[in-house]
Amino acid sequence: MSSAVPLNVGITRSADSGASRADGEKRVLLAEPRGYCAGVDRAVETVEKALEKHGAPIYVRKEIVHNRHVVETLTDQGVVFVDETDEVPEGALLVFSAHGVSPAVHESAAARNLRTIDATCPLVTKVHQEAKRFARDDFDILLIGHEGHEEVEGTAGEAPDHVQLVDGPDSVDAVTVRDESKVIWLSQTTLSVDETMQTVARLRERFPNLQDPPSDDICYATQNRQVAVKAMAPECDLVIVVGSRNSSNSVRLVEVALGAGAKASYLVDYAREVDPAWLDGVRTVGITSGASVPEILVRGVIDLLDEHGFHDVQPVTTANETLVFALPRELRAART
Ligand code: 2E7
Ligand code: F3S
């Protein structure tokens, strides 16, 4: 994980943070970066542009990103979310979600004559290519990730005969390989950096020749959001993470906040889910959001806290993100 930013480096605060604060005054620390990553921005815009260009209904396999508000908003605009390709009428337009799909899914869409647009995040496609390459070289590929997550199913599906899933440090003992000199680990893009390093250390105890991925599989956005929440957590009585329960990277932010010293941390989809009892005796509330979360939902939480006397909002900035991905080829001309 060579590109992870060291924890206590590069943290900037708003000009008059802390120092001007009267003791006992309530404050909010706002993690930066938070919210949409480049892959989510691209995936959501892909669906919006596809709707504009082709009209409703268009179909999306699985949730385009794991966020309730995004999925409900697009549903209202005429998007039909399905679990599998066989639910899509022959010849219709189907978008593949940001989490990626296996070659078998591409094949079943082609067999139904579906027109497809692939909104897979380019950083997931990169991991698929790594899986294909190491399978071609006949490596055993140990894919660290969460069982049942769509991204893991897509990546494993690139080379099912070569990939074994390793779901955290406790799964390491069950791993067996054919040739200990040809073993590599790859990972899901949204894991906890620290837990993944523990899993890798355990794997390396068993397989000293274990190879690392050619570049980080845990993506820049996952790493940056974890670094930011770690920077603010020790000062927080409470960290509110905005995100949905099925959003892996959002759930990881709650775990990272608690691991880094936040006294409490909760995941909420909407401000209305914040229980006022959580604020009893609390002076410092941290706020962050997962990579699939629109900023308007964070605004809702900030406004709610304002109503409870938390008027002072201070950014805690650990990185600046500028990455933008081009839209899928089919829609490139449509970007404004
Ligand atoms: C695609 C990928 O949609 P998310 O909540 O997804 P996770 O994987 O965290 O459940 O977040 C954006 C995203 C992250 N990773 C989309 Cl592969
Ligand atoms: Fe891609 Fe990472 Fe976002 S894999 S979709 S940039 S969380």
Side-chain angles (χ1 to χ4, degrees):
M1 250 24 79
S2 52
S3 63
V5 182
L7 246 193
N8 53 358
V9 171
I11 299 169
T12 57
R13 282 284 183 79
S14 57
D16 63 348
S17 68
S20 64
R21 193 168 57 92
D23 271 353
E25 194 182 313
K26 295 171 174 178
R27 65 172 176 166
V28 170
L29 299 181
L30 188 56
E32 178 73 51
R34 64 181 177 279
Y36 270 23
C37 60
V40 166
D41 217 21
R42 173 181 187 264
V44 173
E45 196 176 345
T46 294
V47 177
E48 290 168 349
K49 297 291 181 213
L51 261 180
E52 262 173 49
K53 187 170 169 189
H54 300 282
I58 66 162
Y59 294 80
V60 176
R61 182 184 176 277
K62 310 286 185 188
E63 294 188 352
I64 184 70
V65 296
H66 292 150
N67 184 266
R68 204 167 125 190
H69 179 79
V70 170
V71 169
E72 287 177 1
T73 304
L74 291 172
T75 302
D76 290 345
Q77 293 169 9
V79 175
V80 180
F81 290 93
V82 296
D83 263 335
E84 283 311 334
T85 49
D86 61 10
E87 296 166 50
V88 183
E90 293 254 350
L93 180 68
L94 176 64
V95 178
F96 294 130
S97 82
H99 312 93
V101 293
S102 68
V105 173
H106 281 283
E107 284 158 23
S108 72
R112 286 183 79 72
N113 294 318
L114 303 181
R115 292 169 292 145
T116 58
I117 299 178
D118 191 354
T120 301
C121 174
L123 299 181
V124 175
T125 303
K126 185 204 76 169
V127 182
H128 282 222
Q129 280 158 354
E130 290 170 354
K132 280 196 275 194
R133 171 183 149 199
F134 286 99
R136 217 179 299 122
D137 292 344
D138 205 25
F139 274 69
D140 274 306
I141 299 167
L142 308 180
L143 178 63
I144 304 175
H146 297 297
E147 177 122 45
H149 191 282
E150 284 139 39
E151 180 188 346
V152 161
E153 288 174 353
T155 305
E158 291 286 358
D161 298 337
H162 288 82
V163 172
Q164 284 178 69
L165 184 67
V166 183
D167 192 346
D170 295 340
S171 305
V172 168
D173 291 345
V175 174
T176 56
V177 300
R178 295 164 303 153
D179 175 355
E180 293 196 5
S181 69
K182 286 184 81 169
V183 188
I184 183 156
W185 70 275
L186 300 178
S187 85
Q188 191 177 334
T189 56
T190 52
L191 301 181
S192 150
V193 172
D194 293 340
E195 189 186 277
T196 303
M197 289 304 104
Q198 287 168 25
T199 307
V200 171
R202 295 265 289 266
L203 284 170
R204 191 157 277 127
E205 278 168 24
R206 291 205 50 210
F207 310 114
N209 293 323
L210 179 70
Q211 284 195 29
D212 292 323
S215 60
D216 287 357
D217 288 343
I218 300 182
C219 75
Y220 80 98
T222 298
Q223 296 193 41
N224 285 346
R225 281 150 192 69
Q226 289 177 15
V227 168
V229 84
K230 268 189 186 181
M232 71 186 194
E235 297 183 50
C236 293
D237 302 305
L238 166 69
V239 171
I240 297 174
V241 179
V242 186
S244 294
R245 306 223 78 79
N246 62 341
S247 167
S248 167
N249 78 90
S250 304
V251 173
R252 300 291 84 77
L253 290 174
V254 173
E255 295 168 357
V256 170
L258 291 170
K263 295 197 183 76
S265 182
Y266 299 100
L267 185 68
V268 297
D269 261 301
Y270 297 103
R272 62 175 182 264
E273 294 170 7
V274 173
D275 182 343
W278 298 346
L279 303 175
D280 286 349
V282 162
R283 278 196 201 168
T284 302
V285 181
I287 302 178
T288 187
S289 56
S292 48
V293 179
E295 186 60 12
I296 191 170
L297 302 179
V298 173
R299 277 283 128 209
V301 173
I302 293 170
D303 291 347
L304 178 100
L305 289 175
D306 190 63
E307 287 166 20
H308 285 82
F310 290 84
H311 310 305
D312 175 17
V313 180
Q314 302 172 8
V316 175
T317 306
T318 52
N320 292 307
E321 293 180 348
T322 54
L323 187 65
V324 178
F325 292 129
L327 287 176
R329 206 178 341 98
E330 301 85 338
L331 297 168
R332 229 160 258 176
R335 195 168 220 173
T336 46

